[in-house]
Amino acid sequence: MSTTQLKRPGFDAGKIVWAACILLTVYFVLLPMAYLVIRAFFFDGTPSLSLFVEYLFADPRAMRAGLNSLIFGVSVAAVSVLVGVPLAFGVSRTDMAWKELVRITVLIAIITPPFLRTMAYILLFGPNAGQLNVLLRWAFFPEMASGPLNVYTIPGLILLSTPIGIAQVFILTSTALSQMDPALEEAARTSGASRARTVWTVSLPVCRNAIFAGALMAFAIALSLYGTPHLLGIDVLTTQIREALLMPINFEAAAVLSTGITALGLMALVAYRQVTREANRYQTVSGKGFRPAVMRLGGYRHLFTGLGILYGLLSFVLPYGALIVISFFPTLGRLPSFSELTFSHYVYVFTSDASLRAIWNSLILATATAFISIILSTVIGYIVVRSRSRFRGLLDYLAIAPLALSGIAIAVGLVLVYTSQPFVRLHLYGTSWLLLFAYIALQLPIALRAIQTSLMQIGPELEEAARVAGATWAGSMRMVILPLIKQGLSYAWVLVFLGVIPELSASIMLRQLGNDTVATMLLDLWGGAGGFQRASALGTAVFLLVATVFFVTRWLTRRDAFGTVKS
Amino acid sequence: MKIKSMLKAGLAASALAISSASAVSAAEIVVYTNWVIEETEAFEAAFEAEHPDIDVVFFRAPIEELFTTIDLEVQTGQLRADVIIFGDTTRATALAESGILGPLELSEEAKAAIDDSLLDPNGIIAPYMLQPVVVQYNTNAVPDDIELDSWNDLLDDRFKGRVALGDPRVTGMVHPALWTLTSYLFEEDGFGWPFVEKLAAQQPRLATGHRGIRDLVALGEVSIAIQTVDNAVESVAQGEPTNYYYPVEGTPVLYQSIGVVAGSGEPEAARTFALWMVGPEGQRLVNAEIGALPVRGDVPIEKGETIDEMRKRANVVVMGPELTQEVRQEQAVKFYDYR
């Protein structure tokens, strides 16, 4: 990595901008985390582990939830690798059919809130009346009264949460596969290795860091999910944290559990940073351009095509199909005739004050979060990539730390901050500001990753020339850097915007009077305030909105790699 | 000349806008409730039609979440509610005792129409709704020839894995049923916590809201469920394949209350809304829109059955102060121990 030694002018407003952005990052990320840790590790004003003993180690339900979270996270990571790697290999390196379909399905998996998929799968694979279970019983298991599949189980939870993990593994692995030097494979083939042996002994080992990084991301995302385990009624750490903040409120238990889940996530993050550093993930800037050969697999290509179709069917066609169908039903429990199908649930979604307010809130918050995150990420990214500050490594870690955080843990931290002295005096608890703060903290690493990638692809010469010509830091940013990373900025903006719309974990903890979002409203509609049909209609409408923004931007910016969406 | 005309027109338009804005300016009150969105919308429309000078804004959330919000807002000195519609009476009483609620004197006419046992002797809170807790079932899953009338029907082997109830950690309205089963009915008659243990063995589905339970029953995903009467009544009215019954051993009926926040910025408007809820139109809507029972004896009901009619088929247990926060918490913890 090359860095630019900056001139030291007498006064540069840029330094003030740097300081402001660093302080804001500390404020958004470190402050809530610090409150969590202090609340968890201090008892009666003295450092102690007694709260951990009481609310975690000595509480069988909390321990079971922790174990479930671990099993859940590890399993999601494993299944994501088992499916994501062959898919990535098939799309990047083979002559399998319908590659674009797989790519689009992966992108849809990223922008689909996992709890929306869960709602659909409850309708399809509920053990007693799930429509596909009914079909399976009719066709193959007439003697069975329920099942054969049951979505309300830990395997159900794992499978419903894997599409987003598969997408992470797919993106990182396919990037690595398409960037690898074909000479390595050619050498193996020349030495007499079979095609399969070449893949097994050369191609995949070259990508192992990318695969491992994808698995770690899948683990961290699974750990932070709230909506899916909540809907399935399975105890994991996130659901336990939420419960601790329901009446009677137990801040200590919430802080202990949040700290526990954060520690697990941070371990994954540190490992992730280690392997991505080793993998030299920004190797495109090295200037080497590879185009590895496409392998002709003959009949075996149908295996990859079949896997791609299965993934598309399970992660996209079935769930959205179910939601769309149910959204036109007037009532539940019987199949309506065609003439009975109704648009009334969509009319409600687009005319009711409550849903319009939720949609408006989400759009405003997503827009504000995107702008603020982009500004912070641009400056932080610049400091990390270009400056020689001793603290840049620390700052980088701080800004990407929220990748390891569950939205629910951030929310607990924010509640602690703004209901305690001295911040309670700001009177921010119960306002939309807390939602905004949570979203900024959660989305900062997403924006930072995208912007850092753009910054690293720009040579230092142009900026140096501007500085030599007398431009200040702000001037060189405005005239040189920002125009060059314009595409990266717009791409990061969209990633953040799309990440905020379906965010549930923090939103459900922080929503108050008048600041419901589409995600909290969806959960309310599903759980008791309007019914499955309205929830399906709102879910379909939100998906169409998000997908439109996503694909229009993708077309405009023509980017292929995408970040993460937590829910 | 032209600029002058434009300025004049602009000033005139501004003056008109300001005067019309002040003409329609209404007192805004915030009402906290656990009702579902469509119910809040119906009440808002009906009240504002009668009182165009008062603008009602609802904040709705499941009961436990609602009281978490209230608790945190009280802690931080930022309680934004003007009126609180309580899912039960004990929490209303607790807030009244802590001075958070102000007086809400009912008219003599209203007092005369309400059973004395439901009235608050301190005149701070007022009852507004009776909510029976029933057992709802899917008529396709339970053939007509099976007669259902008891809590014990929930333990039928045929319903294993097909029973639902509200999650006691999240939903307040499952607690009257748990209290009836464990504290009101006797262990020697097969109830008490041993009954809950058997219920847990049925592997019940726990839901976060009773509207969601209604959908699960209608779909047939669960065959039978502990349900609030409003959802059971609405489900039948909508033509869903469901029905319900009052458990003969003891059908809990929880009376729910309303109160005005002492520090409300719009005390008169808040009191007007609360009294309207206990008036004939509010009480009519309690039945017509929510499907629950009015507390006033002089308001005819359109949906469901009156308490007297229920008593012909079941032992009706009208509950108020029994469900304290401690009882609720204990029930939730014990339930999960058995689960």
Side-chain angles (χ1 to χ4, degrees):
Chain A
M1 185 195 308
S2 65
T3 56
T4 307
Q5 187 155 17
L6 301 174
K7 283 172 58 179
R8 290 180 179 277
F11 173 77
D12 188 344
K15 291 288 163 55
I16 295 173
V17 176
W18 284 25
C21 288
I22 291 169
L23 282 177
L24 281 173
T25 304
V26 168
Y27 181 68
F28 289 135
V29 179
L30 202 57
L31 186 65
M33 287 168 73
Y35 265 69
L36 272 185
V37 171
I38 290 168
R39 197 70 178 238
F41 284 103
F42 280 79
F43 183 68
D44 278 348
T46 52
S48 166
L49 288 175
S50 61
L51 293 175
F52 268 85
V53 173
E54 184 176 355
Y55 296 119
L56 186 60
F57 301 119
D59 182 343
R61 273 193 67 209
M63 285 301 283
R64 193 169 60 235
L67 188 64
N68 283 348
S69 282
L70 265 180
I71 293 170
F72 173 45
V74 170
S75 306
V76 166
V79 177
S80 299
V81 169
L82 286 175
V83 180
V85 172
L87 271 183
F89 182 77
V91 169
S92 311
R93 303 299 308 280
T94 76
D95 59 343
M96 72 177 276
W98 294 351
K99 292 181 183 179
E100 196 54 26
L101 172 84
V102 175
R103 282 201 190 96
I104 289 174
T105 309
V106 164
L107 302 182
I108 287 173
I110 287 176
I111 60 173
T112 298
F115 67 90
L116 199 59
R117 192 180 299 111
T118 307
M119 290 174 180
Y121 268 81
I122 287 172
L123 298 169
L124 291 169
F125 286 109
N128 301 319
Q131 291 306 301
L132 290 183
N133 266 329
V134 171
L135 196 67
L136 286 171
R137 287 203 294 269
W138 174 77
F140 305 110
F141 310 102
E143 74 288 354
M144 291 180 78
S146 68
L149 299 169
N150 185 354
V151 76
Y152 293 95
T153 56
I154 289 186
L157 172 66
I158 293 163
L159 290 175
L160 285 177
S161 310
T162 46
I164 196 163
I166 291 170
Q168 294 297 322
V169 173
F170 176 92
I171 289 168
L172 289 168
T173 310
S174 59
T175 307
L177 279 168
S178 56
Q179 288 173 357
M180 71 177 284
D181 188 345
L184 297 170
E185 286 176 345
E186 283 159 19
R189 295 285 284 157
T190 313
S191 309
S194 68
R195 188 177 292 148
R197 190 172 167 77
T198 304
V199 170
W200 189 249
T201 57
V202 177
S203 313
L204 292 182
V206 166
C207 303
R208 70 167 182 269
N209 283 342
I211 295 169
F212 190 46
L216 286 168
M217 285 303 298
F219 172 80
I221 290 171
L223 213 58
S224 69
L225 286 180
Y226 169 74
T228 302
H230 166 79
L231 285 173
L232 298 183
I234 295 172
D235 281 345
V236 291
L237 283 174
T238 50
T239 57
Q240 292 292 293
I241 294 167
R242 168 96 178 106
E243 190 190 317
L245 277 198
L246 290 176
M247 291 294 284
I249 300 168
N250 189 337
F251 279 130
E252 281 72 26
V256 163
L257 297 172
S258 299
T259 307
I261 200 171
T262 303
L264 286 175
L266 282 175
M267 281 191 263
L269 180 69
V270 170
Y272 168 80
R273 293 289 286 175
Q274 206 60 39
V275 295
T276 47
R277 195 165 291 154
E278 284 171 22
N280 189 14
R281 62 190 289 235
Y282 302 113
Q283 60 187 208
T284 46
V285 297
S286 67
K288 294 177 194 167
F290 299 122
R291 186 173 288 278
V294 169
M295 293 185 186
R296 308 266 165 218
L297 296 180
Y300 288 112
R301 77 191 186 106
H302 298 307
L303 284 176
F304 288 96
T305 307
L307 184 65
I309 291 173
L310 190 66
Y311 177 64
L313 195 69
L314 294 177
S315 72
F316 174 58
V317 178
L318 276 181
Y320 280 107
L323 290 178
I324 289 168
V325 168
I326 208 88
S327 68
F328 291 108
F329 277 27
T331 56
L332 294 173
R334 64 184 182 82
L335 205 60
S337 65
F338 186 77
S339 61
E340 287 178 300
L341 295 180
T342 175
F343 279 98
S344 63
H345 307 303
Y346 287 95
V347 171
Y348 175 84
V349 163
F350 290 111
T351 57
S352 118
D353 283 348
S355 64
L356 288 177
R357 191 165 51 237
I359 292 170
W360 178 248
N361 285 344
S362 285
L363 291 176
I364 292 289
L365 283 166
T367 306
T369 306
F371 277 116
I372 296 169
S373 304
I374 296 303
I375 293 168
L376 288 179
S377 300
T378 305
V379 177
I380 300 295
Y382 181 89
I383 296 171
V384 170
V385 173
R386 288 292 167 84
S387 82
R388 306 181 100 185
S389 164
R390 276 178 300 164
F391 302 110
R392 63 200 177 98
L394 202 62
L395 193 59
D396 191 25
Y397 252 109
L398 178 65
I400 66 153
L403 271 184
L405 293 182
S406 166
I408 219 158
I410 285 268
V412 172
L414 287 169
V415 171
L416 288 173
V417 171
Y418 294 100
T419 55
S420 318
Q421 292 295 352
F423 292 94
V424 67
R425 292 178 192 171
L426 295 175
H427 295 297
L428 292 181
Y429 177 75
T431 68
S432 298
W433 288 104
L434 261 58
L435 280 171
L436 181 66
F437 294 172
Y439 294 160
I440 290 170
L442 289 169
Q443 297 301 322
L444 202 55
I446 312 292
L448 190 65
R449 276 204 310 184
I451 291 172
Q452 269 185 340
T453 308
S454 295
L455 282 169
M456 293 180 87
Q457 289 171 351
I458 299 171
E461 302 82 9
L462 289 173
E463 190 192 356
E464 283 168 357
R467 301 301 295 271
V468 168
T472 59
W473 175 81
S476 68
M477 281 296 281
R478 188 168 51 81
M479 289 182 292
V480 179
I481 304 286
L482 293 181
L484 287 172
I485 62 167
K486 194 168 55 182
Q487 197 185 30
L489 291 176
S490 58
Y491 163 66
W493 192 96
V494 171
L495 279 185
V496 172
F497 183 88
L498 295 176
V500 169
I501 297 283
E503 204 290 329
L504 178 68
S505 323
S507 313
I508 196 74
M509 298 280 287
L510 298 173
R511 61 107 172 252
Q512 296 289 330
L513 173 66
N515 60 16
D516 258 308
T517 65
V518 287
T520 60
M521 177 139 183
L522 255 173
L523 206 65
D524 274 355
L525 287 175
W526 182 267
F532 289 3
Q533 301 102 303
R534 281 185 183 167
S536 300
L538 181 61
T540 306
V542 168
F543 170 72
L544 288 177
L545 171 77
V546 168
T548 305
V549 173
F550 184 81
F551 284 105
V552 166
T553 314
R554 183 173 178 244
W555 177 71
L556 289 174
T557 58
R558 292 179 174 75
R559 295 291 291 249
D560 286 329
F562 288 82
T564 58
V565 176
K566 287 183 180 182
S567 168
Chain B
M1 185 67 188
K2 197 176 173 186
I3 293 174
K4 264 190 176 175
S5 307
M6 284 171 66
L7 276 174
K8 273 185 185 171
L11 283 172
S14 305
L16 189 66
I18 291 165
S19 61
S20 55
S22 55
V24 296
S25 70
E28 184 179 286
I29 56 167
V30 173
V31 179
Y32 281 14
T33 181
N34 68 319
W35 296 346
V36 299
I37 294 170
E38 57 217 312
E39 290 164 0
T40 63
E41 289 171 342
F43 276 84
E44 184 183 338
F47 176 75
E48 288 179 359
E50 275 187 46
H51 299 273
D53 54 330
I54 301 175
D55 188 12
V56 182
V57 177
F58 280 97
F59 170 59
R60 59 103 21 221
I63 289 181
E64 299 301 323
E65 188 182 329
L66 189 71
F67 280 91
T68 302
T69 299
I70 292 171
D71 198 51
L72 285 172
E73 289 190 348
V74 168
Q75 273 185 42
T76 57
Q78 301 170 51
L79 182 57
R80 289 184 292 167
D82 296 293
V83 177
I84 301 174
I85 295 173
F86 295 88
D88 59 65
T89 295
T90 45
R91 284 195 258 222
T93 308
L95 282 192
E97 284 170 357
S98 61
I100 290 164
L101 300 180
L104 176 66
E105 287 294 341
L106 293 181
S107 65
E108 291 307 316
E109 174 263 341
K111 284 181 186 168
I114 299 172
D115 190 310
D116 283 346
S117 64
L118 305 182
L119 292 171
D120 175 17
N122 299 316
I124 294 188
I125 54 174
Y128 81 95
M129 182 166 98
L130 293 165
Q131 181 71 281
V133 177
V134 300
V135 175
Q136 185 188 25
Y137 58 93
N138 183 297
T139 50
N140 295 326
V142 180
D144 289 340
D145 56 334
I146 297 180
E147 195 178 328
L148 300 175
D149 63 359
S150 164
W151 286 114
N152 286 309
D153 294 323
L154 291 166
L155 307 181
D156 192 311
D157 285 345
R158 286 167 298 187
F159 300 142
K160 185 160 187 169
R162 293 170 176 268
V163 179
L165 67 152
D167 186 336
R169 296 172 299 181
V170 187
T171 50
M173 283 310 296
V174 72
H175 285 284
L178 284 179
W179 182 85
T180 303
L181 288 166
T182 60
S183 298
Y184 177 79
L185 297 171
F186 295 108
E187 207 165 307
E188 48 269 36
D189 295 330
F191 294 99
W193 283 102
F195 181 92
V196 175
E197 193 173 1
K198 290 179 200 157
L199 186 61
Q202 290 286 74
Q203 298 166 357
R205 191 82 47 81
L206 297 184
T208 53
H210 286 86
R211 180 59 168 81
I213 290 178
R214 169 185 151 185
D215 287 339
L216 288 172
V217 175
L219 278 169
E221 185 50 44
V222 297
S223 304
I224 192 163
I226 297 176
Q227 178 64 284
T228 53
V229 83
D230 53 349
N231 281 299
V233 165
E234 274 306 308
S235 180
V236 174
Q238 292 298 319
E240 293 169 355
T242 68
N243 208 340
Y244 64 96
Y245 66 90
Y246 307 110
V248 288
E249 302 91 347
T251 298
V253 176
L254 191 70
Y255 72 90
Q256 305 186 355
S257 299
I258 190 167
V260 171
V261 174
S264 165
E266 297 285 355
E268 274 315 303
R271 195 164 170 274
T272 303
F273 177 80
L275 293 177
W276 177 82
M277 281 295 303
V278 191
E281 178 60 7
Q283 289 290 287
R284 186 186 71 76
L285 290 174
V286 159
N287 181 247
E289 291 296 336
I290 298 179
L293 302 175
V295 288
R296 290 177 69 117
D298 58 351
V299 173
I301 66 165
E302 302 166 25
K303 293 176 178 173
E305 295 174 57
T306 63
I307 297 284
D308 288 339
E309 286 167 335
M310 286 168 58
R311 283 199 168 110
K312 291 175 190 164
R313 282 184 280 148
N315 173 29
V316 173
V317 188
V318 178
M319 308 174 59
E322 296 86 349
L323 277 179
T324 61
Q325 180 63 41
E326 291 71 31
V327 168
R328 252 179 251 275
Q329 197 181 336
E330 188 190 336
Q331 288 191 159
V333 170
K334 270 186 122 172
F335 180 86
Y336 267 87
D337 287 346
Y338 283 112
R339 191 176 177 238

